[in-house]
Amino acid sequence: MKQAQIRTWTPDGRERRRELVTEFSCISSVDTPADSLRAVVLTDLGSDWEEEIAELELLYDGRRIFCGMCDRQIVSMGAQGRRLTLWGRSEGAVLLDNEAIPQEYSRISVEQMFQRHIRPYGFTANLERSAVLEHYQVSKGVSEWEAFSRFCQRAVKLRPYLDGRTVRFLLPGRGRRVISSREPVLRMNRTVRRSEVISQVLVRDGQGRYSSGIDNSEAKRLHIRRRRCLIPSAQWAQTSVDAGLRLEESMRGRVRWEVELAGIADWELGCEVLLAVPGTGQYFRGNLVERELRFRESGAVSRLVLE
């Protein structure tokens, strides 16, 4: 029987005792640089039960599944014993917790944005595309990650994501995994989403009229009619580009597959997955955009989302 253990540290850096985990859920997504963890430990009321936990590391069958900061801890005492429940986020949470300094840039590249907003927090980059924007504004209330991510989507039309401590772009064909009929598939489902698809974005001009816009030809083919209006500002200097991005974002993940496998499949985010559809002889090829690893004493399950 494979076991899950958790290591924890106090704010002063002292490691506490290792404890066995009775259940955990660890979620990773290309939409956020921070993985999230919820873990439950059956514990006794030793001398350290009130100690505050600052950092934690989750091990499953001897390999590390999660490492990051502790956001919350609860000690519960009842008929089922004493339980310590921990919530945490991975190291990428620092990019969400820190607000970017509001400022305007002129002729700034992807590499320069990374150096100014991401590199100071200790992360590296493996970015296979580059471009320069003539103007870009970081508004008040935007996190360091949002400032960089939005820039990349405007400059190179790609979404960045965090792979461990390395920032990459979500590109097709990176890595390869296959889910065939021989894999321990517990469940799979296919979702087609129509409710968020935008068919047209209108842009307001200097006279306050919505005189121009961009149409989504795919939405027209699908007989979807849903219009949105865009008011340009300094941040939206490239109105046609940003209107197009809004259409593309509404189409992202319109068709997705969700697969549950027995065991812990800690596959890398962004990898290409070839999924055999049972009974059809057909295959779906997509990228792994979300992964949830779940464990209980009864067994482990991995939920994989492909787009």
Side-chain angles (χ1 to χ4, degrees):
M1 179 69 178
K2 295 180 179 179
Q3 292 183 332
Q5 288 186 321
I6 198 159
R7 300 175 64 190
T8 55
W9 290 264
T10 60
D12 61 5
R14 180 175 54 81
E15 183 174 359
R16 303 168 75 250
R17 53 181 172 162
R18 292 194 184 194
E19 295 183 281
L20 289 178
V21 175
T22 59
E23 63 178 273
F24 71 74
S25 171
C26 182
I27 300 175
S28 307
S29 171
V30 297
D31 290 329
T32 175
D35 301 346
S36 64
L37 173 73
R38 177 184 178 272
V40 179
V41 176
L42 285 179
T43 185
D44 55 37
L45 289 183
S47 59
D48 61 350
W49 75 276
E50 287 184 295
E51 284 185 333
E52 186 167 336
I53 296 171
E55 298 179 7
L56 46 85
E57 179 183 66
L58 177 68
L59 303 171
Y60 177 77
D61 193 29
R63 68 182 191 271
R64 187 168 75 175
I65 297 296
F66 175 91
C67 181
M69 63 183 70
C70 180
D71 283 336
R72 183 160 50 120
Q73 63 189 84
I74 295 179
V75 175
S76 305
M77 292 164 260
Q80 295 182 338
R82 305 176 182 91
R83 296 168 20 130
L84 171 64
T85 306
L86 301 171
W87 287 263
R89 290 176 300 156
S90 64
E91 297 165 309
V94 70
L95 301 175
L96 299 175
D97 291 347
N98 284 275
E99 187 175 319
I101 298 174
Q103 56 194 299
E104 293 189 12
Y105 291 114
S106 296
R107 288 199 56 78
I108 184 165
S109 67
V110 172
E111 293 81 3
Q112 290 171 321
M113 281 294 292
F114 176 82
Q115 292 294 332
R116 298 185 185 186
H117 291 275
I118 309 297
R119 184 59 180 263
Y121 298 93
F123 297 94
T124 59
N126 184 8
L127 303 172
E128 302 173 14
R129 300 287 190 278
S130 184
V132 173
L133 286 186
E134 293 296 326
H135 175 80
Y136 183 69
Q137 183 182 52
V138 178
S139 301
K140 174 72 174 70
V142 172
S143 71
E144 296 279 33
W145 180 258
E146 289 172 313
F148 177 71
S149 179
R150 292 176 183 177
F151 177 89
C152 292
Q153 292 178 65
R154 286 163 176 72
V156 295
K157 310 294 191 299
L158 292 171
R159 287 187 297 153
Y161 71 99
L162 193 60
D163 179 14
R165 296 192 62 83
T166 301
V167 179
R168 304 180 187 274
F169 283 134
L170 187 61
L171 294 168
R174 173 175 285 131
R176 172 64 65 84
R177 297 280 186 170
V178 178
I179 302 177
S180 66
S181 58
R182 295 187 296 271
E183 297 296 324
V185 176
L186 302 177
R187 178 181 66 86
M188 66 171 64
N189 59 61
R190 177 178 182 266
T191 300
V192 178
R193 178 180 54 81
R194 295 173 58 90
S195 60
E196 297 175 26
V197 175
I198 297 173
S199 61
Q200 184 184 56
V201 175
L202 296 179
V203 181
R204 193 172 73 175
D205 60 23
Q207 287 71 46
R209 296 173 298 189
Y210 291 89
S211 55
S212 64
I214 296 180
D215 294 322
N216 183 349
S217 59
E218 183 66 10
K220 183 178 180 179
R221 185 187 69 81
L222 295 169
H223 298 282
I224 296 175
R225 187 176 180 181
R226 186 172 294 111
R227 182 177 62 208
R228 294 293 183 265
C229 298
L230 180 64
I231 301 176
S233 65
Q235 185 180 359
W236 301 88
Q238 296 178 301
T239 53
S240 60
V241 172
D242 292 300
L245 284 173
R246 192 160 182 183
L247 292 180
E248 291 176 13
E249 186 64 20
S250 76
M251 294 292 292
R252 185 171 68 85
R254 198 184 81 80
V255 178
R256 60 162 51 185
W257 280 86
E258 185 173 306
V259 184
E260 284 194 357
L261 299 174
I264 295 296
D266 52 336
W267 297 355
E268 57 277 10
L269 287 177
C271 72
E272 185 177 87
V273 179
L274 189 65
L275 172 66
V277 182
T280 67
Q282 298 178 345
Y283 291 86
F284 174 81
R285 187 188 306 272
N287 288 99
L288 177 60
V289 297
E290 184 177 319
R291 178 191 68 214
E292 180 182 9
L293 309 177
R294 301 194 301 264
F295 168 80
R296 291 189 175 183
E297 292 178 322
S298 57
V301 174
S302 299
R303 181 179 63 86
L304 310 175
V305 178
L306 314 176
E307 290 183 359

